[in-house]
């Protein structure tokens, strides 16, 4: 990932921006069923730490620490994925590596909620992302302490 950010840095003009979106390194996605009665929370999906995601976060921190970029904004956001069938939900859950597991008791609650759903119901999973805006240093060959003119912040 450091190599990818370095390749982007070489292609950028001075003060060029990079938007880096990554899943949060550690969080538990939630599961709910939404229909005309509202949203019913079902539980969480257990997921093991993803080494590739952890490495991507570490790479982003490293290029900032090494002075190649200035981090001008950092945000955390949630997003919801909706599924119209149990099979689509299961296919998505199994597609993650390592495979996401339903926490104890979630499967029977989900099956019950899906069995008693109203027309138009969906299964929702809520996930969390980090968004970082990185700006290329004007002269990234200078030591970090000599680049105070690069430290201005973009309002968030």
């Amino acid at each position: 990932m450091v190599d990818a950010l370095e390749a982007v840095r070489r292609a950028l003009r001075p003060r060029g921006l990079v938007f880096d979106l990554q899943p949060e390194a550690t969080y538990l996605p939630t599961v709910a069923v939404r229909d005309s009665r509202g949203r019913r929370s079902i539980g969480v999906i257990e997921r093991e730490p993803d080494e590739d995601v952890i490495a991507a976060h570490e790479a982003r921190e490293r290029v900032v620490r090494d002075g190649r970029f200035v981090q001008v904004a950092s945000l955390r956001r949630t997003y919801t994925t909706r599924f119209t069938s149990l099979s689509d939900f299961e296919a998505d859950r199994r597609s993650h590596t390592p495979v996401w597991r339903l926490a104890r008791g979630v499967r029977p609650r989900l099956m019950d909620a899906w069995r008693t759903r109203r027309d138009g119901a969906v299964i929702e999973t809520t996930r969390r992302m980090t968004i970082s805006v990185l700006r290329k240093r004007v002269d990234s060959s200078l030591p970090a302490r000599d680049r105070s003119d690069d430290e201005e912040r973009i309002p968030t």
Side-chain angles (χ1 to χ4, degrees):
M1 181 69 185
V2 171
D3 292 339
L5 287 169
E6 180 58 28
V8 169
R9 188 190 69 77
R10 283 192 305 268
L12 285 174
R13 294 180 182 175
R15 296 184 181 266
L17 297 176
V18 174
F19 291 79
D20 183 40
L21 287 77
Q22 298 287 339
E24 275 198 12
T26 58
Y27 76 99
L28 298 176
T30 60
V31 180
V33 173
R34 182 180 298 276
D35 64 16
S36 61
R37 292 175 288 199
R39 185 177 188 274
R40 288 178 282 169
S41 180
I42 305 298
V44 298
I45 298 174
E46 296 175 343
R47 59 188 278 271
E48 295 177 19
D50 184 326
E51 297 302 320
D52 291 335
V53 171
I54 292 169
H57 283 269
E58 290 171 354
R60 180 173 57 204
E61 292 169 10
R62 181 175 171 191
V63 297
V64 170
R65 186 177 56 248
D66 290 351
R68 300 176 208 181
F69 290 94
V70 175
Q71 183 168 317
V72 295
S74 178
L75 310 164
R76 286 186 164 83
R77 294 292 185 254
T78 60
Y79 71 98
T80 301
T81 306
R82 293 176 178 86
F83 305 95
T84 57
S85 71
L86 281 169
S87 61
D88 287 347
F89 167 77
E90 284 296 324
D92 179 72
R93 185 184 62 78
R94 286 190 308 271
S95 72
H96 295 276
T97 305
V99 173
W100 291 3
R101 295 178 314 276
L102 296 177
R104 184 179 201 131
V106 170
R107 185 172 307 284
R109 287 192 302 273
L110 177 58
M111 299 303 271
D112 183 57
W114 196 246
R115 187 175 53 254
T116 60
R117 74 190 185 278
R118 292 194 176 163
D119 286 343
V122 293
I123 300 168
E124 297 180 337
T125 59
T126 302
R127 308 164 194 216
R128 295 195 328 223
M129 298 288 289
T130 63
I131 304 166
S132 291
V133 181
L134 307 175
R135 185 179 61 223
K136 180 180 178 179
R137 295 273 189 178
V138 172
D139 180 359
S140 55
S141 65
L142 293 174
R145 65 183 171 278
D146 294 337
R147 295 190 218 107
S148 59
D149 65 319
D150 272 347
E151 299 301 326
E152 67 189 65
R153 297 282 180 190
I154 295 174
T156 56

